[in-house]
Amino acid sequence: MSENTWLVVGLGNPGPGYAGNRHNVGQMVLDELARRIGSTFTRHKTPAVVAEGFLSPGGPKLILAKPNSFMNLSGGPVSALLRFYSLDPSRLIVVHDELDIPFDSLKLKSGGGHGGHNGLRDIAKAADTPDFIRVRVGIGRPPGRQDPADFVLKDFGSTERAALPTLLAEAADAVELIATEGLAAAQLKVHSRS
């Protein structure tokens, strides 16, 4: 595989019942990226659906993947994808929901802890490293005393849904920036907006 190839994984849960959940925002971002590169998701030899394409002629190749597993078991599919494409975890970008960031905000980072996010925990364990890039899409904290586990498995509210297309586009822009300009340049641009 070319050194200009990126595996971009959108976290979420499989099936139409979960498609609009806050927990599935990573997969929503991948839908936007697939649209941009003119590709559609198809079944793959690994436990995932995959869409592939180039950001521009001669530009970075994106392998967009949605694991077929539930969020907490994302590690197996991600490690299988890394092996299948012979990619190092340094070429992995994981797009996921983040409770600790306000809705409509993005943060980019490489490595670090999982912050209680079981999908990230499972990927770090299966890949044998926490050193992969994360595009953290803010969904905010649950209101009142609502259990975070219930909150992430609910669909976005009507006010959030109105702002969601812009948030998904900005997260897709962030992935493109990482692939074309590197993480540090992407962080400068993305974090200066918040």
Side-chain angles (χ1 to χ4, degrees):
M1 269 289 149
S2 153
E3 62 185 43
N4 210 12
T5 299
W6 293 89
L7 173 61
V8 186
V9 175
L11 295 190
N13 288 313
Y18 295 101
N21 289 180
R22 291 179 178 93
H23 223 17
N24 277 46
V25 74
Q27 294 192 353
M28 295 176 199
V29 173
L30 260 63
D31 289 337
E32 170 63 16
L33 284 164
R35 186 190 64 72
R36 292 181 182 190
I37 63 173
S39 187
T40 53
F41 287 93
T42 56
R43 289 172 60 172
H44 194 260
K45 291 175 182 166
T46 61
V49 292
V50 171
E52 297 183 29
F54 292 88
L55 283 177
S56 60
K61 180 177 184 179
L62 297 185
I63 301 161
L64 309 175
K66 299 178 186 178
N68 291 336
S69 64
F70 282 91
M71 171 78 78
N72 296 355
L73 302 173
S74 298
V78 171
S79 62
L81 285 156
L82 288 169
R83 281 194 309 275
F84 182 87
Y85 289 103
S86 301
L87 290 171
D88 186 81
S90 65
R91 307 303 296 173
L92 171 64
I93 301 170
V94 177
V95 187
H96 65 90
D97 60 307
E98 180 61 68
L99 282 165
D100 293 326
I101 298 174
F103 174 75
D104 207 15
S105 300
L106 295 173
K107 294 287 181 195
L108 313 179
K109 76 173 194 174
S110 179
H114 53 74
H117 196 294
N118 291 326
L120 293 177
R121 175 189 286 130
D122 202 53
I123 291 169
K125 182 177 173 191
D128 202 28
T129 179
D131 294 331
F132 51 87
I133 296 173
R134 299 105 186 269
V135 175
R136 305 161 70 207
V137 183
I139 60 169
R141 302 293 309 178
R145 294 174 178 246
Q146 185 178 5
D147 184 341
D150 293 334
F151 179 71
V152 298
L153 293 176
K154 295 269 190 288
D155 286 2
F156 287 100
S158 56
T159 307
E160 292 170 321
R161 276 197 303 273
L164 194 55
T166 302
L167 178 61
L168 298 178
E170 288 177 353
D173 291 346
V175 171
E176 290 187 3
L177 280 168
I178 292 165
T180 55
E181 299 182 26
L183 178 61
Q187 285 173 318
L188 275 175
K189 289 181 180 175
V190 171
H191 296 172
S192 67
R193 294 184 203 140
S194 22

